[in-house]
């Protein structure tokens, strides 16, 4: 597998799903996957708030990425296409400083859009 490409990462996660029969054994059910992603976000938060090292943080981020890729696979979504479509939308948005930090959003409900 090509370890230097997005397609290689997706192929590795797809192979993992197939190896463990995720589709047949409930591993691709969305409520379950959302709970797993929330759990991983909690672990990322714990790494940051408790000052754990970059190695542990990287592992937790990788866990979340694998879950996100797997969710795309489970829902038959072309994540590469979805990523680039969303990036093009984001590139057209303006940023604002909110509470001292940059925020790039649609800012719905505001007069400037």
């Amino acid at each position: 597998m090509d370890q230097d490409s997005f397609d290689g990462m997706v192929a590795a996660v797809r192979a993992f799903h197939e190896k463990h029969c995720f589709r047949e054994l409930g591993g691709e059910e969305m409520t379950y996957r959302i709970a797993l992603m929330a759990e991983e976000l909690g672990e990322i938060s714990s790494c940051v708030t408790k000052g754990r090292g970059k190695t542990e943080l990287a592992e937790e981020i990788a866990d979340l990425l694998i879950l996100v890729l797997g969710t795309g696979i489970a829902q038959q979504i072309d994540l590469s296409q979805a990523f680039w479509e969303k990036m093009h939308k984001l590139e057209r948005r303006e940023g604002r400083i909110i509470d001292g930090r940059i925020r790039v959003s649609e800012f719905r409900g505001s007069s400037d859009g």
Side-chain angles (χ1 to χ4, degrees):
M1 267 180 224
D2 180 7
Q3 294 186 7
D4 293 324
S5 77
F6 180 80
D7 289 342
M9 292 188 306
V10 171
V13 175
R14 186 182 314 280
F16 183 79
H17 278 223
E18 290 171 0
K19 175 183 176 182
H20 295 284
C21 303
F22 274 37
R23 180 157 287 141
E24 297 82 6
L25 299 176
E28 293 188 352
E29 194 273 323
M30 286 303 295
T31 304
Y32 175 65
R33 298 194 67 76
I34 291 167
L36 291 174
M37 286 187 274
E39 180 180 323
E40 290 305 329
L41 282 173
E43 291 176 11
I44 290 168
S45 176
S46 179
C47 285
V48 172
T49 59
K50 294 181 179 177
R52 296 185 182 142
K54 280 189 177 183
T55 301
E56 190 172 340
L57 177 60
E59 183 175 336
E60 298 305 339
I61 292 170
D63 283 342
L64 182 59
L65 177 58
I66 290 164
L67 279 164
V68 168
L69 293 174
T71 300
I73 290 166
Q75 293 296 302
Q76 300 175 358
I77 294 170
D78 181 338
L79 287 179
S80 181
Q81 178 182 344
F83 173 87
W84 289 112
E85 287 175 2
K86 185 63 176 190
M87 279 306 302
H88 294 310
K89 286 181 184 179
L90 291 172
E91 289 168 350
R92 292 190 299 269
R93 293 182 182 168
E94 297 296 321
R96 291 186 189 173
I97 302 296
I98 299 175
D99 295 328
R101 294 182 181 95
I102 187 70
R103 172 88 189 257
V104 179
S105 181
E106 290 184 71
F107 299 108
R108 294 180 186 160
S110 67
S111 60
D112 56 40

